[in-house]
Amino acid sequence: MHDDHLSSEQVDACTAFVDIEAPPPEDEPTAHLLFGTNQIQPVDIAAERYHRGLAPLIIATGGVNRHNGVVEGQEFRRLLMERDVPEAAIRFEDRSSNTWQNVEFSLPFLREALDSGLKITAVGKWYHRRALHCLTTLLPDIGTFYGISWDPWYAGRLVTRTEWLQIPDGKRRVIREWEEVSRRVADGSFRPAERVAGAWCS
């Protein structure tokens, strides 16, 4: 779909569809899954929540970042420990090259969390809807889970829910997410993920 043909209603529908935000209740500790990126926001979110007792297990993901060569999972782990999150609270994978593999290579840690009675909280860019579907598809017994989102920077611009259409990098990413996730749910290659009563479920 070409963005110059989007009505304001379609823009609103697209924004609402891709938005992963569905935070856990303020008194419920959950395992936090950090989706790989070269931006630092997920580390700050997880560390702050760890120190409030809300993220007793943090799963960092990501292999070599194609932009800067940093191994994202290892860098997340280092930065978390720099923020006084103990090594014992951190799990990481450092081989993945996409969102699907972020989840796939973290499955042992995700199962560890579920087996210990913790629900999962995905920590990702606000429009990273495919992250939710990778979780429901690869971990079909995930049950109820949550999403905490952040606004990414691209080419010096903060891509927000209100500004994405005016930012070329944001526009391309958000529309691609809307189209690809919709297509993959329709063709059955992604299991559904629905927001119900403030949480995600498959």
Side-chain angles (χ1 to χ4, degrees):
M1 181 175 292
H2 297 294
D3 55 86
D4 51 348
H5 296 144
L6 290 179
S7 67
S8 59
E9 290 80 11
Q10 287 174 311
V11 170
D12 290 345
C14 175
T15 305
F17 176 80
V18 299
D19 193 346
I20 73 165
E21 185 76 11
E26 267 302 304
D27 59 350
E28 182 177 351
T30 61
H32 285 43
L33 176 65
L34 313 187
F35 282 87
T37 179
N38 62 358
Q39 302 192 38
I40 202 169
Q41 293 95 317
V43 170
D44 290 334
I45 290 168
E48 187 270 336
R49 292 179 65 80
Y50 172 83
H51 290 298
R52 287 200 287 138
L54 296 174
L57 182 65
I58 300 171
I59 304 165
T61 72
V64 177
N65 184 279
R66 65 183 183 276
H67 300 297
N68 62 10
V70 166
V71 181
E72 295 166 346
Q74 294 178 12
E75 182 71 355
F76 276 170
R77 175 177 172 273
R78 183 186 71 78
L79 291 169
L80 286 164
M81 292 173 67
E82 219 174 62
R83 287 157 176 74
D84 297 320
V85 176
E87 187 174 8
I90 304 168
R91 308 289 183 272
F92 75 99
E93 69 78 21
D94 57 6
R95 299 179 295 129
S96 59
S97 58
N98 55 46
T99 305
W100 180 268
Q101 290 180 350
N102 288 163
V103 176
E104 181 181 23
F105 297 158
S106 298
L107 284 173
F109 310 133
L110 293 164
R111 295 208 172 278
E112 175 190 354
L114 294 178
D115 289 347
S116 70
L118 291 172
K119 293 180 180 177
I120 307 296
T121 296
V123 181
K125 303 177 185 78
W126 69 267
Y127 58 81
H128 199 190
R129 178 69 185 254
R130 76 187 62 199
L132 309 178
H133 294 272
C134 290
L135 278 165
T136 59
T137 305
L138 285 163
L139 195 63
D141 56 342
I142 189 172
T144 300
F145 65 106
Y146 304 104
I148 291 177
S149 64
W150 50 275
D151 298 342
W153 289 90
Y154 287 109
R157 302 278 301 276
L158 192 63
V159 177
T160 68
R161 292 165 177 82
T162 54
E163 299 294 316
W164 65 264
L165 198 60
Q166 283 73 53
I167 301 169
D169 277 347
K171 181 168 61 180
R172 176 173 56 82
R173 287 175 165 86
V174 171
I175 291 175
R176 181 187 64 187
E177 201 74 15
W178 182 27
E179 293 180 336
E180 182 173 334
V181 171
S182 299
R183 175 182 59 78
R184 293 194 62 179
V185 170
D187 71 19
S189 60
F190 273 165
R191 284 172 57 94
E194 303 294 338
R195 192 168 11 215
V196 178
W200 292 102
C201 59
S202 59

